[in-house]
């Protein structure tokens, strides 16, 4: 396993995705708000989602230069999306929110982890 990403561009791409996701969660746009509601995510926790996603983006970018921060942050994102998938399955929300959003982003995180830190 590598302490620093090689190559770095997929990590930057994942960080950009996290920033866009954070912007969509800041004041949740319609499809994000519906997603949170459908999985039963308590409304009082909605405001913490944007800072969490911005912290992930910062960790990914800093991890380009700080050893082990990139793979740890990517691993945390993998765990985050595994929990999100389990919440969708538990809520029987088996449509677009699950397959396009949660599974799609999990696959992106897994690809970055494998190709930037393992291979």
């Amino acid at each position: 396993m590598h302490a620093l990403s090689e190559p770095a561009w997929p990590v930057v791409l994942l960080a950009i995705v996290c920033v866009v996701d954070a912007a969509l969660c800041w004041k949740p746009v319609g499809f994000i708000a519906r997603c949170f509601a459908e999985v039963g995510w308590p409304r009082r926790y909605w405001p913490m989602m944007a800072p969490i996603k911005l912290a992930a983006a910062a960790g990914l970018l800093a991890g380009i230069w700080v050893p082990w921060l990139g793979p740890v942050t990517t691993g945390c994102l993998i765990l985050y999306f595994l929990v999100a998938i389990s919440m969708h399955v538990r809520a029987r929300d088996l449509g677009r929110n699950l397959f396009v959003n949660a599974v799609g982003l999990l696959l992106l995180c897994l690809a970055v982890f494998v190709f930037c830190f393992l291979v």
Side-chain angles (χ1 to χ4, degrees):
M1 187 152 144
H2 307 284
L4 296 171
S5 64
E6 185 59 41
W9 70 264
V11 175
V12 173
L13 176 66
L14 183 56
I16 291 168
V17 169
C18 288
V19 168
V20 170
D21 197 10
L24 293 171
C25 288
W26 197 264
K27 182 180 177 197
V29 295
F31 78 95
I32 298 281
R34 281 189 302 279
C35 179
F36 287 167
E38 287 171 6
V39 299
W41 187 242
R43 193 169 186 84
R44 69 181 177 272
Y45 297 135
W46 292 13
M48 69 189 237
M49 299 311 294
I52 287 171
K53 293 172 183 195
L54 287 175
L60 289 167
L61 293 175
I64 293 171
W65 300 279
V66 178
W68 299 110
L69 186 57
V72 168
T73 303
T74 308
C76 289
L77 281 168
I78 290 167
L79 291 174
Y80 170 88
F81 286 111
L82 287 172
V83 169
I85 289 168
S86 71
M87 290 180 73
H88 284 282
V89 170
R90 180 184 55 91
R92 294 186 179 18
D93 180 22
L94 305 177
R96 178 193 178 278
N97 290 333
L98 171 62
F99 290 106
V100 175
N101 299 346
V103 173
L105 289 171
L106 172 64
L107 292 175
L108 177 61
C109 293
L110 284 168
V112 168
F113 190 80
V114 169
F115 293 113
C116 294
F117 302 109
L118 291 181
V119 177

